[in-house]
Amino acid sequence: NGTQESVKRLCELGHSHIALMPGPQNSVSATLRLENWLSSLATFGKTPAAVIFGTWDAQSGYDGARELLDNKTAFSALLVGNDQMALGALSALNKAGIAVPRQVSVIGYDDSYESAFFIPALTTVRLDLDAQGQEAVARVLAATPDSTPDSCVMPAEFILRDSITVNGKG
């Protein structure tokens, strides 16, 4: 639900060209975030401006944002699969003279402790990793030897900070 809220907020703010940086192509988390972003964008009648895969670190976020800029991809918002990649993207945008959030809005994922101290402070999605771990263990313990544990969607919280604004009206 955090991925859905991110897309909804950006669309409500008037963003129509949203680029996606979900993380590694072989990651279950990145795949789920990408699928949810794509589904949420489709709900608003939109497709991504681009999809750039990364490796969860700041360097790949930097490289991904540089790729968007070097390819002259038109985008007013960037959804990033974790906060470390978002940090790299913020750095690349800053070095290119692109003001966040006035020209490009950025949303991360995970709400790492440091994300509140990025410049600008990063809007992100907070996951309760302790609750996820407890739920996973409970489901595994409740499963029988010949069954597969059920899956579920855990709640996520949208954390609004300074890295998003109304498209073109910052």
Side-chain angles (χ1 to χ4, degrees):
N1 63 354
T3 54
Q4 295 165 350
E5 182 66 20
S6 298
V7 170
K8 178 181 174 212
R9 291 287 183 112
L10 291 175
C11 289
E12 287 174 348
L13 290 172
H15 293 280
S16 57
H17 297 90
I18 301 171
L20 310 176
M21 294 176 64
Q25 227 167 344
N26 61 351
S27 163
V28 172
S29 298
T31 300
L32 290 172
R33 287 174 194 167
L34 178 59
E35 288 172 358
N36 283 316
W37 282 334
L38 293 172
S39 173
S40 297
L41 284 168
T43 299
F44 288 92
K46 300 183 185 318
T47 58
V51 177
I52 306 289
F53 293 95
T55 60
W56 294 133
D57 63 11
Q59 182 67 55
S60 70
Y62 182 92
D63 293 343
R66 284 294 335 152
E67 183 177 334
L68 291 169
L69 297 171
D70 291 346
N71 290 339
K72 299 189 182 341
T73 303
F75 68 102
S76 65
L78 183 57
L79 288 167
V80 188
N82 76 348
D83 292 349
Q84 288 306 305
M85 287 176 58
L87 171 63
L90 288 171
S91 177
L93 294 169
N94 180 299
K95 285 185 179 180
I98 296 169
V100 174
R102 190 170 45 79
Q103 292 173 281
V104 173
S105 291
V106 177
I107 298 178
Y109 214 95
D110 292 336
D111 192 30
S112 64
Y113 172 76
E114 297 84 4
S115 65
F117 301 100
F118 291 178
I119 298 174
L122 184 65
T123 297
T124 187
V125 176
R126 178 183 296 151
L127 302 174
D128 187 341
L129 297 178
D130 290 335
Q132 284 184 353
Q134 291 171 359
E135 183 67 24
V137 168
R139 286 174 181 272
V140 167
L141 292 174
T144 62
D146 58 334
S147 72
T148 303
D150 292 333
S151 64
C152 71
V153 175
M154 300 290 292
E157 182 181 359
F158 184 80
I159 306 298
L160 179 62
R161 294 197 182 108
D162 301 331
S163 64
I164 67 171
T165 190
V166 176
N167 185 24
K169 298 184 174 140

